[in-house]
Amino acid sequence: MDYSFLLNLTIILLSTKVLGLVTRKFHMPQVVGALLAGVILGPAMFGTLHETEFLDKLAEIGVIVLMFCAGLETDTAELKKSGKSAFIIALIGVIVPLFGGFAVASFFNRPGVISSDATCSLFLQNMFIGVILTATSVSITAETLKEIGKIKTHSGNAILGAAIIDDVLGIIALTIITSTTDPNVNLFAVLLKIAAFFVFSGIGGVLIYKAYSRWSNDAERGLQRHAIAAFSLCLLMSYIAEHFFGVADITGAYIAGVIISNTQKSQFLTSKFDTLSYLLLSPVFFASIGLKVELPAMTPAIILFAFLLTLTAILTKVVGCGIGAKICGYKNYQSIRIGVGMISRGEVALIVAGKGQQLGLLSGDFLGPVVLVVIITTIITPIILKPVFRIGPSVPFTETRLGENYEEVSKYR
């Protein structure tokens, strides 16, 4: 039996922590250090570590637990109030990057500039690059918000809600474009399954909440069994979402966390899962993102394309989601927070890009710039997110949004 996975885990845990402490010295979130550890030790630089099936599976559990913890710490009352706002923010935050990416790709993806070896039409190839830019990696933002203690703010709830909806809209956009190349994809069936998942989550969530509350509230001892039951629900919802409905497993995990968040045992559960995530799962997940990065040879045209695509990826999310937030009545500083919180593409964009390359929607020459977009947006989001949350009133105040009054205490900003 090969025991090298033990050495790999040791290297990942130590390197992510050391670099996390270094980035904290520069007043950046520690998650940046974990991401850099994967890039530095992975194929992109030193090649000390490589992807393995074990690390991939452990990283998948890591992001599931991370999103479950985000659900546990979500203010459900505020989430309900911001539901409509989250949809509008997500919708505009998908449309603007979609057309922004399409415009940049249309300029470069033509004979004499960058030659494409993809089999689909140029229009579909360019539209697919726009689809890649619609993705949002909520896990990066969720971890950063937790680290700086801002996950329960109005802006934090709006970001999480919008990011979850963004994932669903991204699935729809990906399904629409892949259905044009893959005859096995039935667009109507996919949309029906997505709608069915949220109906299932709504009805099932209420029933599970009532049953879990009744069971946990009657028990004073044996709190460990509640953690096991909650973890089982998290994994089950993740499996159901992905396997039966074609929705991302992290969406199922987040919903499971929201279901449990209003029970009396939520604080106990949060402490248990935070420990599990911090000790093992989160470092492996964030390092694994860096391990996926491999940079191909870059020509001057591809470098320019990569620069403009990265700039477009950042600006279109900030502007698109910021405009959506302003339409919904958020303050200027809150709109900036929400826009910045949606920048990160992370592993989501890599997965989408890989799918496109398989179907002939993405040329190999364009994969390098997409990888650079993923690296830069993933690293830059937590770096920018921390200072933008310092913007705004520094004393308690009452703000009016959407015709309702909200008390926001400065320590939760």
Side-chain angles (χ1 to χ4, degrees), residues 85-390:
S85 303
F87 178 79
I88 294 173
I89 292 167
L91 181 61
I92 301 178
V94 164
I95 292 173
V96 176
L98 176 65
F99 287 101
F102 174 79
V104 175
S106 297
F107 180 80
F108 285 92
N109 188 18
R110 53 196 174 93
V113 184
I114 299 177
S115 299
S116 172
D117 59 3
T119 56
C120 294
S121 67
L122 287 179
F123 175 81
L124 287 177
Q125 292 177 44
N126 298 335
M127 188 60 73
F128 182 75
I129 290 177
V131 170
I132 294 174
L133 295 196
T134 65
T136 294
S137 178
V138 62
S139 54
I140 307 295
T141 300
E143 179 67 14
T144 305
L145 290 174
K146 283 178 60 181
E147 187 176 328
I148 63 178
K150 306 297 183 182
I151 204 164
K152 287 192 175 183
T153 60
H154 296 163
S155 306
N157 275 283
I159 291 170
L160 290 176
I164 292 297
I165 297 171
D166 184 288
D167 278 345
V168 175
L169 294 176
I171 292 171
I172 294 173
L174 179 62
T175 303
I176 291 173
I177 195 166
T178 54
S179 64
T180 61
T181 60
D182 188 349
N184 296 320
V185 176
N186 187 318
L187 178 60
F188 176 76
V190 170
L191 297 179
L192 188 63
K193 286 169 69 175
I194 291 173
F197 170 73
F198 286 99
V199 172
F200 166 80
S201 298
I203 298 173
V206 172
L207 296 176
I208 293 170
Y209 167 74
K210 290 182 178 179
Y212 187 89
S213 296
R214 188 178 299 112
W215 173 63
S216 62
N217 291 345
D218 291 340
E220 293 298 328
R221 296 183 179 181
L223 292 177
Q224 286 77 8
R225 74 185 64 168
H226 302 302
I228 293 173
F231 193 23
S232 299
L233 173 63
C234 165
L235 298 176
L236 181 62
M237 284 293 290
S238 300
Y239 174 78
I240 289 173
E242 189 77 54
H243 184 74
F244 292 106
F245 297 99
V247 177
D249 51 9
I250 58 174
T251 303
Y254 178 76
I255 290 175
V258 171
I259 292 171
I260 302 296
S261 64
N262 283 327
T263 64
Q264 291 186 6
K265 301 296 188 295
S266 61
Q267 289 187 341
F268 167 79
L269 295 174
T270 299
S271 66
K272 290 294 184 184
F273 283 100
D274 276 347
T275 302
L276 172 64
S277 181
Y278 175 79
L279 281 178
L280 175 64
L281 298 178
S282 285
V284 173
F285 166 65
F286 290 115
S288 72
I289 296 177
L291 295 181
K292 295 179 187 296
V293 174
E294 293 187 47
L295 297 178
M298 308 285 272
T299 65
I302 292 177
I303 292 173
L304 179 60
F305 172 68
F307 171 76
L308 292 178
L309 190 67
T310 303
L311 189 62
T312 300
I314 294 171
L315 293 179
T316 52
K317 276 295 183 183
V318 174
V319 172
C321 295
I323 289 174
K326 283 298 294 179
I327 290 174
C328 296
Y330 284 87
K331 304 290 185 181
N332 288 335
Y333 70 92
Q334 291 174 317
S335 300
I336 295 172
R337 293 174 179 177
I338 293 168
V340 170
M342 300 288 282
I343 289 175
S344 176
R345 300 318 196 269
E347 77 291 350
V348 179
L350 290 176
I351 293 170
V352 173
K355 178 70 173 177
Q357 197 172 27
Q358 292 174 6
L359 295 173
L361 284 163
L362 184 66
S363 169
D365 287 336
F366 288 96
L367 184 60
V370 168
V371 170
L372 282 177
V373 168
V374 171
I375 297 172
I376 295 172
T377 58
T378 299
I379 292 176
I380 204 174
T381 299
I383 293 175
I384 302 177
L385 197 60
K386 189 174 181 179
V388 298
F389 263 86
R390 296 195 188 106

Side-chain angles (χ1 to χ4, degrees), residues 1-51:
M1 182 176 177
D2 185 8
Y3 291 95
S4 60
F5 70 94
L6 296 175
L7 178 61
N8 291 340
L9 279 180
T10 303
I11 294 172
I12 288 173
L13 293 177
L14 289 176
S15 62
T16 53
K17 188 57 187 175
V18 169
L19 285 175
L21 292 174
V22 171
T23 53
R24 192 174 69 175
K25 287 286 186 182
F26 291 93
H27 306 289
M28 294 185 291
Q30 293 191 56
V31 64
V32 177
L35 292 167
L36 287 173
V39 175
I40 293 171
L41 296 176
M45 293 188 68
F46 295 134
T48 305
L49 297 175
H50 297 274
E51 285 186 273

